[in-house]
Amino acid sequence: MIPGLKHVDTTSLELASPPSSTQASTVYDRLREDLLSGRLEPSRKLQMRFLTELYQTGQTPLREALNRLTADGLVECREQRGFYVADISRSELAELTKTRCWVESLALRESMAASTPQWEEQLLLAQHRLGRTPRSLNAEHFEDNPEWERLHRVYHRTLIGNCGSQSLIAFCGQLADQLYRYRRLSIRKAFPSRHVTDEHQAIMTAVLSGDADHAVDLLTAHYRQTAEVILQDKQIFSELHEGEDAAS
């Protein structure tokens, strides 16, 4: 101990003040979930005071998380105006869907070309688990099942996960996140009539049969049908959004 300095037990200080990088990652995860689920609605201004109180954190880790979410396309940073939840539009939905069909078609073809017994087993398992999990927690009315959403993401990631490019997989994941926001807005309308279990089964069957053209056709039809359901839901897009789309 240095003479003249009192001993200070730093253990409690370390526990009370986790590293800012850890705080930023925690806030990022929580903010991302609230953005994807729609709890923070599109075009909402993300006021710092509101966010610091909601997530019980300081402004430094919060800004770091917001900057990461801006790079992910889930948040917009408007000059001199601060951060906003990324807006939605019909034109963006169409563009994101088209891009996802392009890149995942490539990723799926590459995965199939490099097919291994292990990958096929992973796909069978992912489909089996997803097919056994109810989409809704309530049979009478739609009640989101978080486990189905998790397994749904695993299934689609497994389809393209054998493509040999982590960069391509990451880009596909980013597109999936951006489109997930739209899907959440219209899920209650699509739930009663959409037979996604059959669609997932058909895609997997085509993949395991080695018919790449048919598998790609089924996958892109799967994504386009989702987009079409959302585009037909007039409650999602306000007159303002429609006016912006017409002007663009």
Side-chain angles (χ1 to χ4, degrees), residues 63-242:
R63 287 187 181 278
E64 183 178 332
L66 287 169
N67 285 327
R68 287 178 62 188
L69 290 163
T70 299
D72 292 343
L74 299 176
V75 169
E76 296 175 359
C77 182
R78 301 178 186 175
E79 189 173 358
Q80 305 298 324
R81 297 175 62 188
F83 293 97
Y84 288 76
V85 179
D87 209 349
I88 61 172
S89 70
R90 294 177 185 274
S91 59
E92 183 189 58
L93 172 58
E95 180 182 343
L96 288 171
T97 300
K98 180 170 65 175
T99 305
R100 188 181 191 188
C101 288
W102 284 343
V103 297
E104 289 208 16
S105 293
L106 171 62
L108 180 56
R109 287 184 185 276
E110 291 296 311
S111 286
M112 293 179 66
S115 179
T116 63
Q118 292 77 16
W119 174 64
E120 292 185 356
E121 289 174 4
Q122 290 173 359
L123 183 56
L124 278 166
L125 182 59
Q127 163 62 24
H128 176 71
R129 288 175 173 169
L130 180 61
R132 287 173 56 89
T133 305
R135 178 67 189 89
S136 172
L137 293 174
N138 191 310
E140 301 298 326
H141 61 271
F142 180 76
E143 185 178 338
D144 190 36
N145 184 353
E147 180 63 7
W148 187 93
E149 287 292 354
R150 186 186 71 81
L151 293 173
H152 183 240
R153 177 59 67 90
V154 170
Y155 168 81
H156 279 284
R157 183 181 176 90
T158 302
L159 279 173
I160 64 172
N162 197 47
C163 70
S165 171
Q166 291 302 314
S167 297
L168 181 56
I169 293 172
F171 182 47
C172 290
Q174 185 175 338
L175 290 170
D177 282 346
Q178 290 174 293
L179 283 163
Y180 177 75
R181 297 173 64 227
Y182 285 90
R183 187 162 61 82
R184 293 289 302 165
L185 294 171
S186 192
I187 188 62
R188 285 174 174 79
K189 180 178 180 180
F191 172 68
S193 58
R194 188 83 181 271
H195 301 291
V196 292
T197 299
D198 294 340
E199 295 173 29
H200 293 144
Q201 177 66 47
I203 294 168
M204 185 197 71
T205 299
V207 169
L208 296 181
S209 72
D211 190 341
D213 289 340
H214 187 43
V216 165
D217 287 345
L218 290 172
L219 181 64
T220 55
H222 178 65
Y223 290 148
R224 287 169 181 157
Q225 186 174 349
T226 298
E228 190 60 33
V229 170
I230 301 170
L231 288 168
Q232 291 176 358
D233 193 339
K234 296 181 180 179
Q235 294 182 349
I236 294 179
F237 302 99
S238 66
E239 293 180 0
L240 175 61
H241 293 140
E242 291 176 350

